[in-house]
Amino acid sequence: MRKRVYIAYTGGTIGMKHTRAGYRPEAGYLQKQMAAMPELRNPSMPAFTINEYSPLLDSSNMTPREWLKIARDIAKNYRRYDGFVVLHGTDTMAYTASALPFMLTGLGKPVIITGSQIPLCEVRNDARENLITSLMIAAGYDIPEVCLYFGGKLLRGCRAVKVSADGFQAFASPNLPPLGTVGIDIEINWPLVRKKAGRLRLDEFAAPVVVSALRLFPGISPNLVRNVLRPPLQGLVLETYGVGNGPDRDREFIAALSEATDRGVVIVDCTQCLEGTVDLGEYETGSALARAGVISGYDMTAEAALTKLYSLFGRGYSSDRVKREMTKDLRGELTVGNR
Ligand code: ASP
């Protein structure tokens, strides 16, 4: 039987049209292009349904409300389809790809997020390949994960980061090899693929969430840090230097962190480096943060840490519970065995 794929079309360059103000998404435009592609009607391709969202968004306009809309859409259509493709802008694709795994607990089917750097309507584009291969993977491969497919690489969603503003190889997962690579063949690295576990449960954001991210820079003012950490903030991804270090000679900076963690704010230390892991014991400048109550984000991306905080607080967990869960590997977002 022909496999069936559900396409959630949220917006992004892939379906955009050129206007005087620059590219923007337009209702119905992508479907018109897709209807003119004979390869999508080839018997080797799955049957598919497209749900065009309204409004279609440039992903720079996405918010957690949209993550929830996509997760609900997948959950609602879960039983009727073999796999899911989410067409999405590249700008915040890594955030959505990181958020969805935490919301789709017990996922047993592939969810492939993709998009393109050049719209499908242009003669020379990367949209065609990304779309066709994503549909094939969603239909033909038993990968029970949220993945990001782009430029020949299938990445675990919650490990992905955007690494190029204009290249076709726009995404990477520096701390995890790709789950698959696409050349003449589609090759899946099966030992890396997670196993199915239980039944799908949608973890909605039931409770209001206030979280943030802050990138350290030389000379950052403790007042700025204090302001960011003010109530009602619940969690912060602190993007630090190297293996998780910060300016420990600045007493006010350390005091601002301590005061916040004493109030129950969960501060997660993620490195600004693209690759490698936080190790708060390696330098004095890291252990000072640990003493101030900051917890290690290990090798999580800042995107994964932020969306994980979102999801855990969204479930209504206490700050102690969020702290515990943040250091556990829930969806393959961090490498167990890190210090
Ligand atoms: N600004 C676009 C977006 O993220 C960029 C893209 O899709 O490549 O929606």
Side-chain angles (χ1 to χ4, degrees):
M1 248 220 350
R2 211 158 164 208
K3 295 285 183 73
R4 289 166 53 80
V5 173
Y6 183 83
I7 303 179
Y9 170 35
T10 70
T13 296
I14 192 161
M16 285 193 189
K17 191 175 181 181
H18 200 262
T19 72
R20 265 201 273 160
Y23 283 118
R24 71 176 175 83
E26 190 173 289
Y29 191 62
L30 180 70
Q31 278 97 313
K32 232 194 249 166
Q33 322 287 319
M34 288 174 64
M37 287 171 67
E39 54 273 53
L40 293 180
R41 293 190 294 277
N42 187 290
S44 65
M45 291 298 290
F48 59 85
T49 307
I50 306 182
N51 178 16
E52 179 180 280
Y53 285 19
S54 178
L56 289 168
L57 290 179
D58 183 304
S59 73
S60 306
N61 284 314
M62 288 241 172
T63 69
R65 274 196 307 278
E66 278 74 39
W67 305 340
L68 191 53
K69 181 172 169 180
I70 300 167
R72 280 184 179 148
D73 194 15
I74 291 169
K76 198 172 116 205
N77 290 286
Y78 189 69
R79 291 183 51 190
R80 288 189 289 140
Y81 292 86
D82 300 292
F84 299 81
V85 169
V86 179
L87 300 179
H88 196 290
T90 61
D91 289 346
T92 64
M93 189 183 283
Y95 288 89
T96 304
S98 297
L100 290 181
F102 297 116
M103 302 163 82
L104 298 169
T105 302
L107 182 69
K109 298 180 180 182
V111 173
I112 314 294
I113 308 185
T114 195
S116 67
Q117 295 278 44
I118 304 183
L120 191 61
C121 66
E122 301 290 355
V123 173
R124 196 177 65 83
N125 69 62
D126 57 331
R128 182 183 172 279
E129 199 284 316
N130 286 346
L131 174 64
I132 290 176
T133 304
S134 294
L135 282 167
M136 285 183 157
I137 295 174
Y141 294 81
D142 202 9
I143 301 173
E145 292 208 37
V146 175
C147 302
L148 189 156
Y149 178 72
F150 214 93
K153 278 188 279 181
L154 184 72
L155 308 174
R156 175 168 297 152
C158 54
R159 291 284 196 159
V161 283
K162 187 172 180 183
V163 290
S164 171
D166 49 16
F168 285 172
Q169 302 257 323
F171 291 88
S173 58
N175 283 328
L176 188 81
L179 298 185
T181 45
V182 176
I184 289 180
D185 298 310
I186 297 177
E187 286 177 13
I188 304 298
N189 188 350
W190 287 110
L192 276 188
V193 174
R194 288 168 71 79
K195 305 283 167 285
K196 271 181 210 173
R199 302 178 59 188
L200 184 75
R201 187 187 75 219
L202 177 64
D203 276 310
E204 306 221 16
F205 303 143
V209 181
V210 189
V211 296
S212 189
L214 180 67
R215 184 179 168 94
L216 292 185
F217 53 89
I220 190 168
S221 119
N223 266 345
L224 187 149
V225 177
R226 211 169 242 126
N227 278 334
V228 170
L229 288 167
R230 271 201 193 144
L233 193 84
Q234 296 162 290
L236 179 76
V237 178
L238 187 65
E239 296 180 40
T240 59
Y241 310 126
V243 289
N245 304 323
D248 70 326
R249 285 169 59 109
D250 186 339
R251 295 235 179 118
E252 280 303 299
F253 169 75
I254 297 292
L257 299 178
S258 286
E259 283 157 23
T261 57
D262 284 350
R263 276 189 277 113
V265 178
V266 179
I267 306 181
V268 187
D269 187 325
C270 288
T271 175
Q272 293 177 11
C273 299
L274 207 49
E275 197 181 335
T277 186
V278 164
D279 178 359
L280 291 177
E282 196 164 326
Y283 292 89
E284 222 173 65
T285 47
S287 56
L289 301 194
R291 274 199 310 279
V294 172
I295 58 169
S296 176
Y298 299 104
D299 64 347
M300 267 189 294
T301 63
E303 288 87 336
L306 186 88
T307 55
K308 189 172 173 181
L309 276 176
Y310 222 101
S311 156
L312 296 174
F313 279 117
R315 292 180 204 175
Y317 289 177
S318 68
S319 99
D320 277 345
R321 176 134 189 225
V322 171
K323 254 183 162 173
R324 282 199 304 275
E325 300 284 323
M326 281 306 290
T327 54
K328 287 187 201 158
D329 175 26
L330 302 182
R331 300 288 188 269
E333 74 282 7
L334 65 81
T335 308
V336 181
N338 278 330
R339 277 173 293 165

